[in-house]
Amino acid sequence: MTSSIVLNFITWDVSSDIFTIPIINHPVRWYGLFWLLGIVLSYRVLWNLFKKEGRPVEFLDQLSIYIVLGTVIGARLGHVLFYDPSYYFSNPLKIFAIWEGGLASHGGGIGILAAIFFFARKKKLSFLWVADRIALVVPIAGACIRLGNLMNSEIIGTPTKLPWAFVFTAIDPIPRHPAQLYEALFCLLLFLLLNYLRTKPILKNNIGNCFALLLILLFSFRFMDEFLKINQEDFESSLFINMGQLLSIPFVLIGSALLVINSKRKSTQLSQNKS
């Protein structure tokens, strides 16, 4: 595993495998490790938060199971339905071959929303109350996943002459935008921002605002970052904007609508209190 800076670009020559397990001869990959790291870090952040709120550990354990299952199933089905449905419908058993790769973050987002809905319904909780707490850790999990993509030399960027360009030697000798790294760094900043604002009136006193901000900021950046990525599938070349951008728009609209609704609700409450 090597990476080096040569002239005005970074040579990225990193193996996607960490080591191979003897006997079964199966590789342990960086991508899987970063997925696990994202889950562990997210759990720890929520554990600290729920401890302060007096929620039992069993509550978090159950929520974590819902979210992990929702993320993986949603991400897999998202890839199947959004990016290559004809192949998977012709080879339905391949849908379950998740070890071969193929996870779509937008599908994962939809899966998380479904998981929150079912969990909140079972526990008789507000959907937005649960969503606000999950929103605090989604960015840290997203950063870990994008670092995993970087280690896999996948979701690479368009060619560039910028001095921080990466040459992904597993792909080609062309200096490219490290689009995965851009998104990972943004997710880290978003994680810090949301957790800073969590104790401020804008989020503390308005249920759903944390969730709304996550949707707006994360998917707005995702929309812009897609301009610096190569298309994942050939059919995207015929689209005005690519699939990742098309799928980001509904998330931004939902977040924006939620902020507007919350703002109007608060204005109504204030006027009623004054009267």
Side-chain angles (χ1 to χ4, degrees):
M1 179 176 70
T2 60
S3 62
S4 60
I5 300 177
V6 181
L7 298 179
N8 62 336
F9 58 82
I10 299 169
T11 300
W12 189 256
D13 183 19
V14 178
S15 172
S16 60
D17 297 345
I18 306 174
F19 60 87
T20 299
I21 302 175
I23 303 176
I24 63 174
N25 197 34
H26 186 77
V28 175
R29 296 190 170 94
W30 286 106
Y31 187 73
L33 180 63
F34 275 107
W35 257 87
L36 179 61
L37 179 62
I39 293 172
V40 171
L41 291 177
S42 298
Y43 182 93
R44 185 61 190 180
V45 172
L46 287 177
W47 187 87
N48 288 335
L49 176 60
F50 283 7
K51 185 177 180 181
K52 292 179 181 178
E53 295 179 340
R55 295 279 174 178
V57 175
E58 292 77 11
F59 181 91
L60 176 57
D61 290 341
Q62 294 172 19
L63 175 59
S64 298
I65 292 172
Y66 273 76
I67 297 300
V68 171
L69 288 176
T71 302
V72 175
I73 294 173
R76 183 56 174 174
L77 292 180
H79 176 78
V80 169
L81 297 175
F82 300 147
Y83 289 98
D84 206 354
S86 59
Y87 169 77
Y88 287 103
F89 290 160
S90 300
N91 304 274
L93 291 179
K94 286 291 185 179
I95 295 175
F96 302 98
I98 195 170
W99 56 88
E100 294 181 359
L103 298 173
S105 58
H106 292 90
I110 295 172
I112 289 174
L113 295 180
I116 293 172
F117 171 80
F118 288 116
F119 180 82
R121 185 177 181 181
K122 180 179 179 181
K123 296 295 183 180
K124 294 180 172 55
L125 296 169
S126 163
F127 171 88
L128 291 178
W129 183 90
V130 181
D132 275 346
R133 279 141 187 82
I134 296 301
L136 293 172
V137 298
V138 164
I140 196 69
C144 289
I145 291 171
R146 284 296 176 251
L147 290 175
N149 294 138
L150 178 65
M151 302 303 288
N152 271 359
S153 295
E154 59 189 5
I155 312 183
I156 61 174
T158 55
T160 181
K161 295 182 179 179
L162 291 171
W164 56 81
F166 276 45
V167 172
F168 296 95
T169 59
I171 308 298
D172 56 35
I174 302 173
R176 297 177 177 277
H177 284 286
Q180 327 93 318
L181 191 56
Y182 295 162
E183 198 167 342
L185 292 174
F186 177 80
C187 282
L188 288 175
L189 292 175
L190 182 57
F191 170 75
L192 295 174
L193 175 64
L194 291 179
N195 281 272
Y196 168 74
L197 293 176
R198 179 176 62 84
T199 58
K200 306 301 179 182
I202 186 175
L203 298 188
K204 185 177 181 180
N205 300 333
N206 296 278
I207 186 172
N209 271 9
C210 185
F211 175 55
L213 278 179
L214 171 77
L215 294 180
I216 294 170
L217 296 177
L218 180 59
F219 288 99
S220 291
F221 182 86
R222 175 67 187 273
F223 185 94
M224 300 304 297
D225 196 37
E226 289 292 328
F227 284 114
L228 303 178
K229 298 177 184 176
I230 64 172
N231 292 331
Q232 296 186 52
E233 301 293 339
D234 292 338
F235 75 86
E236 293 180 276
S237 300
S238 62
L239 301 177
F240 177 68
I241 53 179
N242 67 25
M243 183 59 74
Q245 292 170 314
L246 285 171
L247 294 172
S248 294
I249 293 173
F251 288 96
V252 176
L253 293 178
I254 292 171
S256 300
L258 183 54
L259 274 186
V260 171
I261 293 170
N262 274 353
S263 177
K264 289 184 177 180
R265 183 187 297 119
K266 186 174 182 180
S267 298
T268 301
Q269 291 174 344
L270 288 175
S271 62
Q272 290 175 345
N273 292 336
K274 289 181 180 179
S275 62

